[in-house]
Amino acid sequence: MAGGVLSPDWTPAFAAVPRSAFLPELIWPYDMEAGRSVAVSMAQDPDAWARYADADVPVVTQWDDGRHTGTAPGREPTSSASMPSVVFRMLRDLEVRPGHRVLEIGAGTGWNAALLAHRLGTVNVVTVEVDEAVAAAARRALEIFGLPVRVVHGDGARGFPDGAPYDRIIATCGLRSVPRAWVEQCRPGGLIVAPWGTHYGNGDAVVRLTVSHDGESASGLFTGPVEFMKLRSQRPPSVAHSEYVTGGVADGEESSTALPEGEFAGERFEPGHFALGLRVPDCRCVVADKRDGARPVWWYGLTDRSWACAMFRDGGAARVWQSGPRRLWDEVEAAHRWWRERGRPGYERFGLTVTPQGQRAWLDDPADSWPV
């Protein structure tokens, strides 16, 4: 509440619907001090389990699409209960009102749907979950808690047309493209709130889209950074370094840059990273670990085998190599210059417009947009 995340209208739901009621016996909360997910069992350590359940940390509840077994963390988290601060920030952005019908994409544990149902009534909330086991667990938890929201097992990218039109649609998974079905199933003037980003990195930003009066498009501003597990049909493509750099970096065209390492390898939620993703399409950026005062940052083209590498060293200018049909470093450098010249804008100045023809990003003015 002090940070402005939990608004007064959501306080009754926060008090009445604890996250702990929707968590399984074995959880993997993210330990902020350790910087990693840790296994916590309710049976073995009930105090720690309760402490993490109430903490403002994300809690992984499934690894590797359910193939994972055992207590050690798996390879990839694939379902979770989000940080309460993120949950209530997005619910605040959703601006629900009495009588609103809401479609949620990504049931997860069922907690988010329960919060909505506590405020709007169970008949006004539908949640879609692609994973059958996760959907069943969420349905069971909601029924036990006394808020039997309709949980649909299906592909959230298709929405749920049987319940349309909706006043609000909220996604609890990261997007790279807003599905057309969501715009069609949300009433004119309704809101779509979702984490959206580019393949440049794993980070997202919450976008708040208003559906146009003719129902053909939706447009709105971003409200701030987040990072979510991605919609399964929009997970990032894999990048195999050896398929790009078949020899060594010396095979590329060499140059240098005075830009500092921190512009590319700083805090992951820096708005500059988001801006670069918007301005350098179909590109993946990989920041390598720093060793002996040197850190390489790689860029890989996703439509061909173009690549670029900037090698940053403590106390010296960075050397740069690039190769392929796209001059990726030139694109990255131009995008960074564009961002600087506009005053290093934050997330809240960027927006997104979704039409039948595709997606376009913009800064300050929707009329001055570009495809993403």
Side-chain angles (χ1 to χ4, degrees), residues 131-149:
D131 188 290
E132 187 173 9
V134 173
R139 188 180 299 114
R140 185 167 55 252
L142 285 159
E143 289 173 352
I144 291 172
F145 193 77
L147 291 171
V149 169

Side-chain angles (χ1 to χ4, degrees), residues 22-231:
F22 297 85
L23 296 178
E25 189 274 339
L26 178 62
I27 59 176
W28 291 268
Y30 188 81
D31 188 301
M32 294 296 187
E33 293 184 3
R36 57 186 174 84
S37 295
V38 295
V40 180
S41 166
M42 178 191 291
Q44 296 178 3
D45 194 343
D47 291 339
W49 189 96
R51 185 170 63 252
Y52 278 117
D54 289 340
D56 191 25
V57 298
V59 175
V60 174
T61 54
Q62 185 200 67
W63 297 90
D64 305 325
D65 293 333
R67 296 185 299 272
H68 168 265
T69 58
T71 59
R75 296 183 61 185
E76 291 291 334
T78 49
S79 191
S80 70
S82 300
M83 296 174 66
S85 58
V86 171
V87 168
F88 283 98
R89 196 177 101 202
M90 291 180 65
L91 289 175
R92 178 196 62 197
D93 290 344
L94 198 62
E95 289 191 1
V96 295
R97 298 288 183 268
H100 276 172
R101 288 183 42 76
V102 178
L103 172 65
E104 179 193 40
I105 308 299
T109 64
W111 183 46
N112 202 66
L115 291 166
L116 286 163
H118 180 272
R119 183 160 176 190
L120 300 174
T122 56
V123 296
N124 288 323
V125 180
V126 177
T127 182
V128 181
E129 173 58 51
V130 70
D131 188 290
E132 187 173 9
V134 173
R139 188 180 299 114
R140 185 167 55 252
L142 285 159
E143 289 173 352
I144 291 172
F145 193 77
L147 291 171
V149 169
R150 182 171 187 178
V151 179
V152 177
H153 170 227
D155 183 358
R158 300 175 182 173
F160 185 62
D162 290 357
Y166 303 97
D167 299 282
R168 301 287 188 265
I169 295 178
I170 183 170
T172 62
C173 50
L175 306 177
R176 295 299 173 261
S177 177
V178 177
R180 181 68 193 159
W182 298 4
V183 178
E184 294 173 346
Q185 293 173 29
C186 192
R187 68 166 177 79
L191 297 179
I192 300 171
V193 172
W196 185 96
T198 66
H199 286 310
Y200 187 84
N202 290 328
D204 308 302
V206 176
V207 70
R208 186 174 178 273
L209 303 172
T210 301
V211 178
S212 62
H213 293 300
D214 62 6
E216 288 296 307
S217 63
S219 186
L221 290 164
F222 292 93
T223 64
V226 291
E227 184 172 339
F228 274 75
M229 299 169 194
K230 306 306 177 267
L231 187 73

